[in-house]
Every structure is written in C-alpha cells, then in structure tokens.
Amino acid sequence: MVKGRFAPSPTGPLHFGSLIAAVASFLDAKSRQGAWLLRMEDLDTPRQVPGAADLILHTLEDYGFEWDGKVIYQSQRDDYYQAALETLISRGLVYPCGCSRKEIADSAVHGIDGLVYPGTCRHGLSGDKQARAWRVRVDDTPIRFTDGIQGPQSQVLARDIGDFVLKRADGLFAYQLAVVVDDELQGISHVVRGADLLDSTPRQIYLQHALSYSSPAYLHVPVAANAAGEKLSKQTLAQPLNGTDRTRDLWQVLHFLGQAPPVALQQENLSSVWQWAMLHWSVDQVPRQRSLTL
Ligand code: GLU
C-alpha cells in the first residue's frame, strides 16, 4: 500500500507554501487508496512557536484533510533517534566532534548547504577537545536517485556536504536523522515534499543505507516563490492562510501544481474541488522546476 506523509515544522501557522506540500502528498497517496500520515517535526525546540502545532492541525482540518492514525510528535521520540545513533556508532560511522562553530568557519570550504566540515575530529578528538556534537562520516561515492518529479539526481556527500551532524551540541537530534528514522518506522513508501529539500535527500539515502533501511520513493514539488524569487516561508513572512476562501486556496494550489483545474470549479464548494482533484491528480503534470513564482 502507498503510504505518504506530511511533516510540518510548527514554527508558525500554515501558509500557502506549506499547503502545496500538504495537498501534493495527500493527493499522491489518497488518489491511489493509500494512507496519509501526519508528523509534527517539533525537534528544534528553540524555533518552536507555542500553539503552532495545534493551529496547523486545525487549519488542515478546516481544509478538509483527513489523516490516518495518530499524529506523531518528534519531540517525544528521542529514544528512537538515540537507538539509531547508537547503531551508527557501533558500525563505526559516527564520531564525536569537539569543534566550535568558529573553528569550523575558519577552516572550512563552502558546499551546497553551508560549510563542508574539514574533518578535524574524524580520527579522534585531540587532547584539549570535549565531545560536543556527533557527526556521520561520509565518502565520495556519488549518491544517485531519480526523483519522481525532478528527474535524475546525483550528489557527492564528501565534496558537497561533508560529515554532517546527527546530534547537535545542545543535545537535539538533527532533522536528517529524525526524518530517516520516522520515515522508516512509519513505513512511508512515498515522500512528497517541497523541492527545497531535494538537496537533503542524498544525506537521507546515505543514512538509510547505513542503517540497513529501505529507501522510499521521492517526489519533490516546486516551491512557491514570491516576486523577488524568495521561497515563501515563515522566514520571508509568507501570509498565514486566513481561511476566507478555502475553495479558492485549494484551486490555486492545484493550479500551481499544473493540474489545470477548470475555472468554473472556483464557484463550487470545497468538497467538490477535492473530488475533482482526487479524480484528476496527475504527477506527470507537475512542473519539473524547483521553484515557481506565484
Ligand atoms: N519539517 C520539514 C519542513 O516543514 C519537512 C520535512 C520533510 O518533509 O521531510 O520543511
């Protein structure tokens, strides 16, 4: 059975950009009689906004989403992440790192997602260093996969990313580890999400191999950008969905995703738009672009 999921981070209310990922993952699973699960990615406690998780759930309900099973909260799942970390330690793939941000900044080169860790602690902590974070050792074998929307992808982790952090100096588990553990434990077969996460996928595939997990299929939908070309996000102060015209919002999302909803559908009610979407959903029509201007 197809199992998809939506995994919002409760750092603010749902906005149009996150509605796109919710709709795409929902239709991908539900149009094939699959299951659609919900996971709150509330690991990064310092960035959490109180009440945002409940607000997101209510907004999803108001738009007519129905999810299968209970919502899971990453903040309650440290034991699972710790167990996975220990597996990786026992396999010799993870090491403690004692470098400060400044030390890394002084000696590292830029990769595609920030600095490439120079490998200072790879062969053990030097005498004066205390373990701060835990990093996974990567190599230069290219990681290849074919994204269901964006096509063939390849990344060399050692060159493009470097040994990355799985558990931070403040004791929090990193997104890359948590997402891999949860996608496995929830039995997710299809990950449908915004293309801002396309470059994270090779790190996730690498961890899946290292943990002897299977890899789901990946589909990265374009992200919505504003006129200045910036991704709509809480950081760029995207407007929260105000709920004045949900039918039109859903229609807009379908239009954004290349589904060509008939204009007349805008006059119908929300459940008619959902019905239309469920019947007509076609991944092949989603634009093969990482971002699109609204
Ligand atoms: N929590 C992430 C976000 O809101 C999504 C993670 C994922 O879908 O893998 O951007």
Side-chain angles (χ1 to χ4, degrees):
M1 183 173 73
V2 173
K3 250 191 187 184
R5 50 45 159 208
F6 178 52
S9 305
T11 51
L14 207 67
H15 55 83
F16 191 79
S18 31
L19 188 62
I20 293 168
V23 169
S25 58
F26 182 82
L27 288 173
D28 181 68
K30 289 291 169 180
S31 65
R32 293 183 284 167
Q33 285 74 48
W36 186 69
L37 311 186
L38 212 54
R39 176 196 311 151
M40 277 298 156
E41 299 209 326
D42 56 351
L43 267 186
D44 194 350
T45 26
R47 289 182 55 225
Q48 247 41 204
V49 173
D54 284 346
L55 197 61
I56 290 173
L57 296 180
H58 284 133
T59 307
L60 290 171
E61 272 170 358
D62 290 344
Y63 275 90
F65 288 95
E66 285 172 18
W67 50 89
D68 293 285
K70 278 203 186 140
V71 180
I72 69 166
Y73 290 81
Q74 289 192 325
S75 57
Q76 297 166 9
R77 296 171 61 80
D78 272 8
D79 290 352
Y80 296 111
Y81 311 140
Q82 185 62 37
L85 185 73
E86 276 161 25
T87 301
L88 294 170
I89 294 171
S90 72
R91 294 181 180 182
L93 284 167
V94 166
Y95 60 88
C97 171
C99 296
S100 65
R101 251 172 229 272
K102 179 163 185 325
E103 284 170 307
I104 298 171
D106 285 349
S107 58
V109 292
H110 286 271
I112 58 169
D113 187 16
L115 296 168
V116 175
Y117 179 65
T120 323
C121 298
R122 250 190 163 208
H123 306 291
L125 291 170
S126 63
D128 56 336
K129 283 200 157 126
Q130 299 265 316
R132 291 164 50 85
W134 292 84
R135 285 183 188 273
V136 62
R137 206 182 289 280
V138 298
D139 59 34
D140 53 13
T141 314
I143 307 233
R144 298 196 169 90
F145 70 102
T146 300
D147 187 82
I149 292 168
Q150 307 289 336
Q153 310 290 322
S154 170
Q155 202 180 77
V156 176
L157 288 177
R159 177 196 66 201
D160 298 332
I161 302 290
D163 292 350
F164 56 99
V165 170
L166 299 186
K167 192 174 187 183
R168 302 176 355 184
D170 59 9
L172 294 177
F173 289 97
Y175 157 70
Q176 306 291 355
L177 179 66
V179 75
V180 161
V181 170
D182 287 340
D183 283 339
E184 168 74 12
L185 294 183
Q186 292 191 290
I188 302 302
S189 63
H190 290 72
V191 170
V192 181
R193 59 187 178 189
D196 51 323
L197 291 163
L198 191 61
D199 289 337
S200 284
T201 308
R203 268 169 276 182
Q204 296 173 16
I205 292 174
Y206 181 77
L207 291 177
Q208 286 153 0
H209 289 172
L211 287 160
S212 319
Y213 295 167
S214 53
S215 293
Y218 286 98
L219 292 92
H220 287 87
V221 298
V223 294
N226 61 20
E230 301 162 327
K231 179 199 163 196
L232 285 192
S233 68
K234 288 138 203 163
Q235 288 75 30
T236 56
L237 302 179
Q239 292 294 318
L241 296 160
N242 61 18
T244 50
D245 193 347
R246 297 194 184 94
T247 307
R248 200 181 153 77
D249 292 343
L250 179 58
W251 190 96
Q252 291 285 2
V253 169
L254 295 170
H255 174 73
F256 179 88
L257 290 168
Q259 305 298 301
V263 176
L265 204 59
Q266 288 183 20
Q267 311 310 323
E268 310 256 336
N269 60 22
L270 191 57
S271 68
S272 310
V273 181
W274 274 122
Q275 251 167 32
W276 183 91
M278 208 72 98
L279 271 177
H280 293 89
W281 172 250
S282 161
V283 167
D284 293 342
Q285 294 199 71
V286 177
R288 288 162 199 272
Q289 279 171 263
R290 283 195 183 211
S291 80
L292 275 175
T293 310
L294 271 182

